[in-house]
Amino acid sequence: MANEQLSNSTIFPLGQKVEANFIGDAYLQMIYTDATPLNAPIGNVTFAPGARNNWHFHKIGQVLLVTGGEGWYQEEGKPAQFLQSGEVVNIPANVKHWHGATKDSWFVHLAISPGETEWLEPVDGELYNQL
């Protein structure tokens, strides 16, 4: 597997395994949760190869800062975008999307997520396997 060293995450702790709204092994370590001054929680998310979250949207939007590995980001109705370390994804409010690791690489990103998240259906395995 590519980027196997990321199985311990990057500069932040691996965190706890996330079960709800994810397929495969994914881990979350919240690194910022203060309501002031920004009220924009930041989570370090580590995806094992093949792991991904369900389709969802954020009522205010979200920013992803890719810190390691290789992954995918896809907005509904658009082709999936390949992501790697150093890339930034600016997700507008109420845009249905998903993100996760490639089939053969670990993937780590920081997710800046103000406001509420609305979780939806899992990403179709056939769609994912075609990437």
Side-chain angles (χ1 to χ4, degrees), residues 43-99:
N44 184 70
V45 187
T46 303
F47 297 87
R52 58 209 181 263
N53 53 31
N54 289 0
W55 288 98
H56 62 284
F57 64 89
H58 305 276
K59 294 183 179 181
I60 294 178
Q62 184 181 51
V63 175
L64 303 179
L65 307 171
V66 181
T67 59
E70 298 175 350
W72 296 107
Y73 166 77
Q74 185 174 23
E75 292 180 4
E76 184 176 44
K78 295 184 179 179
Q81 298 174 39
F82 177 74
L83 299 176
Q84 53 193 353
S85 296
E87 294 195 71
V88 176
V89 181
N90 184 2
I91 306 165
N94 300 309
V95 170
K96 185 177 176 181
H97 68 280
W98 68 270
H99 31 107

Short mmCIF file of all heavy atoms in Angstrom, two decimals, residues 43-99:
data_model
loop_
_atom_site.label_atom_id
_atom_site.label_comp_id
_atom_site.label_asym_id
_atom_site.label_seq_id
_atom_site.Cartn_x
_atom_site.Cartn_y
_atom_site.Cartn_z
N GLY A 43 -10.87 19.21 12.09
CA GLY A 43 -10.61 17.81 12.38
C GLY A 43 -9.52 17.27 11.47
O GLY A 43 -9.45 17.62 10.29
N ASN A 44 -8.65 16.46 12.04
CA ASN A 44 -7.65 15.73 11.25
C ASN A 44 -8.26 14.37 10.93
O ASN A 44 -8.57 13.59 11.82
CB ASN A 44 -6.37 15.57 12.07
CG ASN A 44 -5.27 14.90 11.28
OD1 ASN A 44 -4.72 15.47 10.35
ND2 ASN A 44 -4.95 13.67 11.64
N VAL A 45 -8.47 14.10 9.64
CA VAL A 45 -9.11 12.87 9.21
C VAL A 45 -8.09 12.01 8.47
O VAL A 45 -7.45 12.47 7.53
CB VAL A 45 -10.33 13.14 8.31
CG1 VAL A 45 -11.08 11.84 8.02
CG2 VAL A 45 -11.27 14.16 8.94
N THR A 46 -7.96 10.76 8.90
CA THR A 46 -7.04 9.81 8.28
C THR A 46 -7.86 8.66 7.71
O THR A 46 -8.63 8.03 8.43
CB THR A 46 -6.03 9.28 9.32
OG1 THR A 46 -5.34 10.37 9.91
CG2 THR A 46 -5.04 8.33 8.67
N PHE A 47 -7.69 8.43 6.40
CA PHE A 47 -8.41 7.37 5.70
C PHE A 47 -7.44 6.26 5.34
O PHE A 47 -6.40 6.52 4.72
CB PHE A 47 -9.00 7.89 4.39
CG PHE A 47 -10.02 8.98 4.50
CD1 PHE A 47 -9.64 10.31 4.56
CD2 PHE A 47 -11.38 8.68 4.51
CE1 PHE A 47 -10.58 11.33 4.63
CE2 PHE A 47 -12.33 9.69 4.57
CZ PHE A 47 -11.93 11.02 4.63
N ALA A 48 -7.77 5.00 5.68
CA ALA A 48 -7.03 3.85 5.18
C ALA A 48 -7.34 3.70 3.69
O ALA A 48 -8.35 4.23 3.20
CB ALA A 48 -7.43 2.60 5.94
N PRO A 49 -6.52 2.97 2.95
CA PRO A 49 -6.83 2.75 1.53
C PRO A 49 -8.25 2.23 1.34
O PRO A 49 -8.71 1.35 2.06
CB PRO A 49 -5.79 1.71 1.11
CG PRO A 49 -4.63 1.98 2.02
CD PRO A 49 -5.26 2.33 3.34
N GLY A 50 -8.96 2.83 0.40
CA GLY A 50 -10.33 2.43 0.09
C GLY A 50 -11.39 3.06 0.98
O GLY A 50 -12.58 2.92 0.70
N ALA A 51 -11.00 3.76 2.04
CA ALA A 51 -11.98 4.37 2.95
C ALA A 51 -12.48 5.70 2.37
O ALA A 51 -11.74 6.43 1.71
CB ALA A 51 -11.38 4.59 4.32
N ARG A 52 -13.74 6.00 2.66
CA ARG A 52 -14.34 7.24 2.19
C ARG A 52 -15.55 7.56 3.04
O ARG A 52 -16.09 6.69 3.71
CB ARG A 52 -14.75 7.12 0.72
CG ARG A 52 -15.74 5.98 0.49
CD ARG A 52 -15.58 5.42 -0.91
NE ARG A 52 -16.53 4.36 -1.20
CZ ARG A 52 -16.26 3.06 -1.10
NH1 ARG A 52 -15.09 2.65 -0.67
NH2 ARG A 52 -17.17 2.16 -1.42
N ASN A 53 -15.97 8.82 2.98
CA ASN A 53 -17.18 9.17 3.71
C ASN A 53 -18.38 9.12 2.77
O ASN A 53 -18.23 8.99 1.56
CB ASN A 53 -17.05 10.52 4.43
CG ASN A 53 -16.61 11.66 3.53
OD1 ASN A 53 -16.92 11.69 2.34
ND2 ASN A 53 -15.90 12.60 4.09
N ASN A 54 -19.57 9.17 3.36
CA ASN A 54 -20.81 9.20 2.58
C ASN A 54 -20.94 10.55 1.89
O ASN A 54 -20.28 11.53 2.24
CB ASN A 54 -22.02 9.03 3.50
CG ASN A 54 -22.14 7.62 4.05
OD1 ASN A 54 -21.35 6.74 3.77
ND2 ASN A 54 -23.16 7.42 4.87
N TRP A 55 -21.83 10.59 0.92
CA TRP A 55 -22.23 11.87 0.35
C TRP A 55 -22.73 12.76 1.49
O TRP A 55 -23.37 12.27 2.44
CB TRP A 55 -23.34 11.68 -0.67
CG TRP A 55 -22.91 11.04 -1.95
CD1 TRP A 55 -23.03 9.72 -2.27
CD2 TRP A 55 -22.30 11.68 -3.06
NE1 TRP A 55 -22.53 9.51 -3.54
CE2 TRP A 55 -22.07 10.69 -4.04
CE3 TRP A 55 -21.91 12.99 -3.34
CZ2 TRP A 55 -21.48 10.97 -5.28
CZ3 TRP A 55 -21.33 13.28 -4.56
CH2 TRP A 55 -21.12 12.27 -5.52
N HIS A 56 -22.45 14.04 1.42
CA HIS A 56 -22.91 14.97 2.45
C HIS A 56 -22.77 16.40 1.94
O HIS A 56 -22.21 16.64 0.87
CB HIS A 56 -22.11 14.78 3.75
CG HIS A 56 -20.64 15.04 3.63
ND1 HIS A 56 -19.77 14.15 3.03
CD2 HIS A 56 -19.89 16.08 4.03
CE1 HIS A 56 -18.54 14.63 3.07
NE2 HIS A 56 -18.58 15.82 3.67
N PHE A 57 -23.30 17.33 2.73
CA PHE A 57 -23.06 18.74 2.43
C PHE A 57 -22.97 19.50 3.73
O PHE A 57 -23.40 19.03 4.78
CB PHE A 57 -24.12 19.33 1.48
CG PHE A 57 -25.52 19.35 2.03
CD1 PHE A 57 -26.00 20.42 2.77
CD2 PHE A 57 -26.40 18.30 1.78
CE1 PHE A 57 -27.29 20.44 3.27
CE2 PHE A 57 -27.70 18.30 2.27
CZ PHE A 57 -28.14 19.39 3.01
N HIS A 58 -22.36 20.67 3.64
CA HIS A 58 -22.16 21.54 4.80
C HIS A 58 -22.96 22.81 4.58
O HIS A 58 -22.87 23.43 3.52
CB HIS A 58 -20.68 21.87 4.97
CG HIS A 58 -19.82 20.65 5.05
ND1 HIS A 58 -19.63 19.95 6.22
CD2 HIS A 58 -19.14 19.97 4.09
CE1 HIS A 58 -18.85 18.92 5.98
NE2 HIS A 58 -18.54 18.90 4.69
N LYS A 59 -23.73 23.20 5.58
CA LYS A 59 -24.63 24.34 5.43
C LYS A 59 -23.88 25.67 5.28
O LYS A 59 -24.41 26.61 4.72
CB LYS A 59 -25.62 24.37 6.58
CG LYS A 59 -26.55 23.16 6.52
CD LYS A 59 -27.61 23.17 7.58
CE LYS A 59 -28.47 21.93 7.42
NZ LYS A 59 -29.55 21.87 8.38
N ILE A 60 -22.63 25.72 5.76
CA ILE A 60 -21.82 26.94 5.60
C ILE A 60 -20.70 26.71 4.58
O ILE A 60 -20.19 27.64 3.99
CB ILE A 60 -21.27 27.41 6.96
CG1 ILE A 60 -22.44 27.84 7.85
CG2 ILE A 60 -20.28 28.54 6.81
CD1 ILE A 60 -22.05 28.29 9.24
N GLY A 61 -20.31 25.47 4.36
CA GLY A 61 -19.19 25.15 3.48
C GLY A 61 -18.11 24.44 4.27
O GLY A 61 -18.24 24.18 5.47
N GLN A 62 -17.02 24.11 3.58
CA GLN A 62 -15.92 23.39 4.22
C GLN A 62 -14.65 23.66 3.41
O GLN A 62 -14.71 23.91 2.21
CB GLN A 62 -16.20 21.88 4.23
CG GLN A 62 -15.16 21.04 4.95
CD GLN A 62 -15.48 19.56 4.90
OE1 GLN A 62 -15.74 19.00 3.84
NE2 GLN A 62 -15.48 18.92 6.06
N VAL A 63 -13.51 23.59 4.10
CA VAL A 63 -12.21 23.66 3.43
C VAL A 63 -11.42 22.42 3.84
O VAL A 63 -11.36 22.08 5.03
CB VAL A 63 -11.44 24.94 3.81
CG1 VAL A 63 -10.04 24.93 3.20
CG2 VAL A 63 -12.21 26.18 3.36
N LEU A 64 -10.84 21.74 2.85
CA LEU A 64 -9.96 20.59 3.10
C LEU A 64 -8.53 21.00 2.79
O LEU A 64 -8.26 21.57 1.73
CB LEU A 64 -10.35 19.41 2.21
CG LEU A 64 -11.78 18.90 2.28
CD1 LEU A 64 -11.97 17.75 1.30
CD2 LEU A 64 -12.14 18.49 3.69
N LEU A 65 -7.62 20.70 3.72
CA LEU A 65 -6.19 20.92 3.52
C LEU A 65 -5.53 19.56 3.52
O LEU A 65 -5.46 18.89 4.56
CB LEU A 65 -5.62 21.79 4.66
CG LEU A 65 -6.34 23.11 4.94
CD1 LEU A 65 -5.80 23.75 6.20
CD2 LEU A 65 -6.20 24.05 3.76
N VAL A 66 -5.07 19.10 2.36
CA VAL A 66 -4.51 17.76 2.23
C VAL A 66 -3.08 17.76 2.77
O VAL A 66 -2.22 18.49 2.29
CB VAL A 66 -4.54 17.28 0.77
CG1 VAL A 66 -3.98 15.87 0.66
CG2 VAL A 66 -5.97 17.33 0.23
N THR A 67 -2.84 16.91 3.79
CA THR A 67 -1.53 16.86 4.45
C THR A 67 -0.75 15.60 4.14
O THR A 67 0.43 15.52 4.49
CB THR A 67 -1.68 17.03 5.97
OG1 THR A 67 -2.51 15.98 6.48
CG2 THR A 67 -2.28 18.38 6.32
N GLY A 68 -1.36 14.60 3.49
CA GLY A 68 -0.62 13.40 3.17
C GLY A 68 -1.39 12.43 2.32
O GLY A 68 -2.62 12.37 2.36
N GLY A 69 -0.65 11.66 1.53
CA GLY A 69 -1.24 10.58 0.76
C GLY A 69 -1.96 11.01 -0.49
O GLY A 69 -1.73 12.11 -1.02
N GLU A 70 -2.85 10.13 -0.96
CA GLU A 70 -3.60 10.36 -2.19
C GLU A 70 -5.06 10.04 -1.97
O GLU A 70 -5.40 9.02 -1.35
CB GLU A 70 -3.04 9.46 -3.31
CG GLU A 70 -1.60 9.76 -3.63
CD GLU A 70 -1.00 8.81 -4.64
OE1 GLU A 70 -1.64 7.77 -4.96
OE2 GLU A 70 0.11 9.09 -5.11
N GLY A 71 -5.92 10.91 -2.48
CA GLY A 71 -7.35 10.70 -2.28
C GLY A 71 -8.18 11.28 -3.40
O GLY A 71 -7.67 11.74 -4.42
N TRP A 72 -9.48 11.26 -3.14
CA TRP A 72 -10.48 11.76 -4.10
C TRP A 72 -11.41 12.75 -3.42
O TRP A 72 -11.73 12.62 -2.24
CB TRP A 72 -11.33 10.61 -4.63
CG TRP A 72 -10.60 9.59 -5.42
CD1 TRP A 72 -10.27 8.32 -5.01
CD2 TRP A 72 -10.09 9.72 -6.75
NE1 TRP A 72 -9.60 7.66 -6.01
CE2 TRP A 72 -9.47 8.50 -7.08
CE3 TRP A 72 -10.09 10.76 -7.68
CZ2 TRP A 72 -8.88 8.28 -8.32
CZ3 TRP A 72 -9.49 10.54 -8.91
CH2 TRP A 72 -8.89 9.32 -9.22
N TYR A 73 -11.87 13.71 -4.22
CA TYR A 73 -12.96 14.62 -3.84
C TYR A 73 -13.90 14.68 -5.03
O TYR A 73 -13.46 14.83 -6.17
CB TYR A 73 -12.43 16.03 -3.53
CG TYR A 73 -13.53 17.06 -3.46
CD1 TYR A 73 -14.34 17.14 -2.33
CD2 TYR A 73 -13.79 17.92 -4.53
CE1 TYR A 73 -15.38 18.06 -2.27
CE2 TYR A 73 -14.82 18.84 -4.46
CZ TYR A 73 -15.61 18.91 -3.34
OH TYR A 73 -16.64 19.81 -3.27
N GLN A 74 -15.20 14.54 -4.76
CA GLN A 74 -16.16 14.60 -5.86
C GLN A 74 -17.41 15.35 -5.44
O GLN A 74 -17.99 15.08 -4.38
CB GLN A 74 -16.54 13.20 -6.33
CG GLN A 74 -17.45 13.22 -7.55
CD GLN A 74 -17.72 11.86 -8.12
OE1 GLN A 74 -17.60 10.84 -7.44
NE2 GLN A 74 -18.08 11.81 -9.39
N GLU A 75 -17.81 16.29 -6.29
CA GLU A 75 -19.08 16.98 -6.14
C GLU A 75 -20.10 16.26 -7.01
O GLU A 75 -19.76 15.74 -8.09
CB GLU A 75 -18.98 18.44 -6.59
CG GLU A 75 -18.11 19.27 -5.69
CD GLU A 75 -18.01 20.72 -6.13
OE1 GLU A 75 -18.67 21.13 -7.12
OE2 GLU A 75 -17.24 21.45 -5.49
N GLU A 76 -21.34 16.22 -6.56
CA GLU A 76 -22.40 15.57 -7.32
C GLU A 76 -22.48 16.15 -8.74
O GLU A 76 -22.44 17.37 -8.92
CB GLU A 76 -23.75 15.76 -6.62
CG GLU A 76 -24.88 15.02 -7.29
CD GLU A 76 -26.18 15.15 -6.52
OE1 GLU A 76 -26.49 16.27 -6.08
OE2 GLU A 76 -26.87 14.14 -6.37
N GLY A 77 -22.53 15.25 -9.72
CA GLY A 77 -22.66 15.67 -11.11
C GLY A 77 -21.35 16.06 -11.78
O GLY A 77 -21.36 16.46 -12.95
N LYS A 78 -20.23 15.97 -11.07
CA LYS A 78 -18.93 16.34 -11.64
C LYS A 78 -17.96 15.17 -11.51
O LYS A 78 -18.14 14.31 -10.65
CB LYS A 78 -18.35 17.56 -10.90
CG LYS A 78 -19.18 18.82 -11.07
CD LYS A 78 -18.49 19.99 -10.40
CE LYS A 78 -19.29 21.28 -10.57
NZ LYS A 78 -18.61 22.40 -9.91
N PRO A 79 -16.90 15.15 -12.34
CA PRO A 79 -15.91 14.08 -12.20
C PRO A 79 -15.15 14.20 -10.89
O PRO A 79 -14.99 15.30 -10.35
CB PRO A 79 -14.96 14.30 -13.38
CG PRO A 79 -15.50 15.42 -14.19
CD PRO A 79 -16.62 16.05 -13.44
N ALA A 80 -14.68 13.07 -10.37
CA ALA A 80 -13.87 13.06 -9.15
C ALA A 80 -12.53 13.75 -9.42
O ALA A 80 -11.97 13.63 -10.51
CB ALA A 80 -13.66 11.64 -8.66
N GLN A 81 -12.03 14.46 -8.42
CA GLN A 81 -10.73 15.12 -8.50
C GLN A 81 -9.72 14.35 -7.67
O GLN A 81 -9.97 14.06 -6.50
CB GLN A 81 -10.82 16.54 -7.94
CG GLN A 81 -11.75 17.47 -8.65
CD GLN A 81 -11.85 18.80 -7.90
OE1 GLN A 81 -10.87 19.31 -7.39
NE2 GLN A 81 -13.05 19.35 -7.84
N PHE A 82 -8.59 14.03 -8.27
CA PHE A 82 -7.49 13.37 -7.57
C PHE A 82 -6.79 14.40 -6.68
O PHE A 82 -6.49 15.50 -7.12
CB PHE A 82 -6.51 12.79 -8.59
CG PHE A 82 -5.31 12.14 -7.97
CD1 PHE A 82 -5.42 10.91 -7.34
CD2 PHE A 82 -4.07 12.76 -8.01
CE1 PHE A 82 -4.31 10.29 -6.77
CE2 PHE A 82 -2.96 12.16 -7.45
CZ PHE A 82 -3.07 10.93 -6.83
N LEU A 83 -6.54 14.03 -5.41
CA LEU A 83 -5.91 14.93 -4.46
C LEU A 83 -4.63 14.34 -3.92
O LEU A 83 -4.53 13.12 -3.72
CB LEU A 83 -6.85 15.20 -3.27
CG LEU A 83 -8.19 15.85 -3.57
CD1 LEU A 83 -9.01 15.94 -2.29
CD2 LEU A 83 -8.01 17.23 -4.18
N GLN A 84 -3.66 15.21 -3.63
CA GLN A 84 -2.42 14.78 -2.98
C GLN A 84 -1.91 15.89 -2.08
O GLN A 84 -2.45 17.00 -2.08
CB GLN A 84 -1.39 14.36 -4.02
CG GLN A 84 -1.11 15.37 -5.09
CD GLN A 84 -0.33 14.77 -6.24
OE1 GLN A 84 0.12 13.64 -6.19
NE2 GLN A 84 -0.15 15.53 -7.30
N SER A 85 -0.89 15.58 -1.31
CA SER A 85 -0.35 16.51 -0.30
C SER A 85 -0.19 17.92 -0.85
O SER A 85 0.30 18.11 -1.96
CB SER A 85 1.01 16.01 0.20
OG SER A 85 0.87 14.79 0.85
N GLY A 86 -0.61 18.88 -0.03
CA GLY A 86 -0.43 20.28 -0.37
C GLY A 86 -1.60 20.91 -1.09
O GLY A 86 -1.63 22.12 -1.27
N GLU A 87 -2.60 20.12 -1.46
CA GLU A 87 -3.74 20.69 -2.18
C GLU A 87 -4.80 21.18 -1.20
O GLU A 87 -4.91 20.68 -0.07
CB GLU A 87 -4.33 19.66 -3.14
CG GLU A 87 -3.35 19.32 -4.25
CD GLU A 87 -3.99 18.60 -5.40
OE1 GLU A 87 -4.76 19.24 -6.13
OE2 GLU A 87 -3.72 17.39 -5.54
N VAL A 88 -5.56 22.17 -1.65
CA VAL A 88 -6.63 22.76 -0.85
C VAL A 88 -7.92 22.67 -1.66
O VAL A 88 -7.93 22.96 -2.85
CB VAL A 88 -6.32 24.25 -0.54
CG1 VAL A 88 -7.48 24.91 0.21
CG2 VAL A 88 -5.02 24.36 0.26
N VAL A 89 -9.00 22.24 -0.99
CA VAL A 89 -10.31 22.16 -1.64
C VAL A 89 -11.25 23.10 -0.90
O VAL A 89 -11.44 22.97 0.31
CB VAL A 89 -10.88 20.73 -1.62
CG1 VAL A 89 -12.22 20.67 -2.32
CG2 VAL A 89 -9.89 19.74 -2.24
N ASN A 90 -11.84 24.04 -1.63
CA ASN A 90 -12.80 24.99 -1.06
C ASN A 90 -14.19 24.52 -1.50
O ASN A 90 -14.51 24.55 -2.68
CB ASN A 90 -12.51 26.40 -1.58
CG ASN A 90 -13.42 27.44 -0.95
OD1 ASN A 90 -14.25 27.13 -0.09
ND2 ASN A 90 -13.28 28.67 -1.37
N ILE A 91 -14.98 24.05 -0.54
CA ILE A 91 -16.29 23.46 -0.84
C ILE A 91 -17.37 24.47 -0.47
O ILE A 91 -17.53 24.81 0.71
CB ILE A 91 -16.47 22.15 -0.05
CG1 ILE A 91 -15.29 21.20 -0.34
CG2 ILE A 91 -17.81 21.51 -0.40
CD1 ILE A 91 -15.18 20.04 0.62
N PRO A 92 -18.12 24.96 -1.44
CA PRO A 92 -19.17 25.94 -1.14
C PRO A 92 -20.29 25.35 -0.28
O PRO A 92 -20.47 24.12 -0.20
CB PRO A 92 -19.72 26.32 -2.52
CG PRO A 92 -18.66 25.92 -3.49
CD PRO A 92 -17.98 24.72 -2.88
N ALA A 93 -21.06 26.22 0.33
CA ALA A 93 -22.20 25.81 1.14
C ALA A 93 -23.19 25.00 0.31
O ALA A 93 -23.42 25.30 -0.87
CB ALA A 93 -22.90 27.04 1.72
N ASN A 94 -23.74 23.97 0.93
CA ASN A 94 -24.83 23.17 0.36
C ASN A 94 -24.47 22.43 -0.93
O ASN A 94 -25.37 22.09 -1.70
CB ASN A 94 -26.09 24.03 0.17
CG ASN A 94 -26.55 24.60 1.49
OD1 ASN A 94 -26.71 23.87 2.46
ND2 ASN A 94 -26.75 25.91 1.54
N VAL A 95 -23.18 22.16 -1.16
CA VAL A 95 -22.76 21.38 -2.33
C VAL A 95 -22.57 19.93 -1.89
O VAL A 95 -21.75 19.63 -1.03
CB VAL A 95 -21.46 21.95 -2.94
CG1 VAL A 95 -20.89 20.99 -3.98
CG2 VAL A 95 -21.71 23.32 -3.54
N LYS A 96 -23.35 19.04 -2.49
CA LYS A 96 -23.28 17.60 -2.16
C LYS A 96 -21.96 17.05 -2.69
O LYS A 96 -21.62 17.24 -3.87
CB LYS A 96 -24.47 16.88 -2.79
CG LYS A 96 -24.55 15.41 -2.42
CD LYS A 96 -25.82 14.80 -3.04
CE LYS A 96 -25.91 13.31 -2.77
NZ LYS A 96 -27.13 12.72 -3.38
N HIS A 97 -21.22 16.34 -1.80
CA HIS A 97 -19.90 15.85 -2.17
C HIS A 97 -19.49 14.69 -1.26
O HIS A 97 -20.17 14.39 -0.28
CB HIS A 97 -18.86 16.97 -2.06
CG HIS A 97 -18.63 17.42 -0.66
ND1 HIS A 97 -19.49 18.28 0.01
CD2 HIS A 97 -17.66 17.11 0.24
CE1 HIS A 97 -19.05 18.47 1.24
NE2 HIS A 97 -17.93 17.77 1.41
N TRP A 98 -18.35 14.08 -1.59
CA TRP A 98 -17.71 13.08 -0.73
C TRP A 98 -16.21 13.20 -0.92
O TRP A 98 -15.73 13.79 -1.89
CB TRP A 98 -18.20 11.66 -1.03
CG TRP A 98 -17.78 11.12 -2.36
CD1 TRP A 98 -18.46 11.24 -3.54
CD2 TRP A 98 -16.58 10.39 -2.66
NE1 TRP A 98 -17.76 10.62 -4.55
CE2 TRP A 98 -16.60 10.10 -4.04
CE3 TRP A 98 -15.49 9.96 -1.91
CZ2 TRP A 98 -15.58 9.39 -4.67
CZ3 TRP A 98 -14.47 9.25 -2.53
CH2 TRP A 98 -14.53 8.98 -3.90
N HIS A 99 -15.44 12.63 0.02
CA HIS A 99 -13.99 12.58 -0.11
C HIS A 99 -13.47 11.35 0.61
O HIS A 99 -14.12 10.83 1.51
CB HIS A 99 -13.30 13.86 0.38
CG HIS A 99 -13.97 14.60 1.48
ND1 HIS A 99 -13.52 14.62 2.77
CD2 HIS A 99 -15.10 15.37 1.48
CE1 HIS A 99 -14.32 15.37 3.51
NE2 HIS A 99 -15.29 15.82 2.77
#
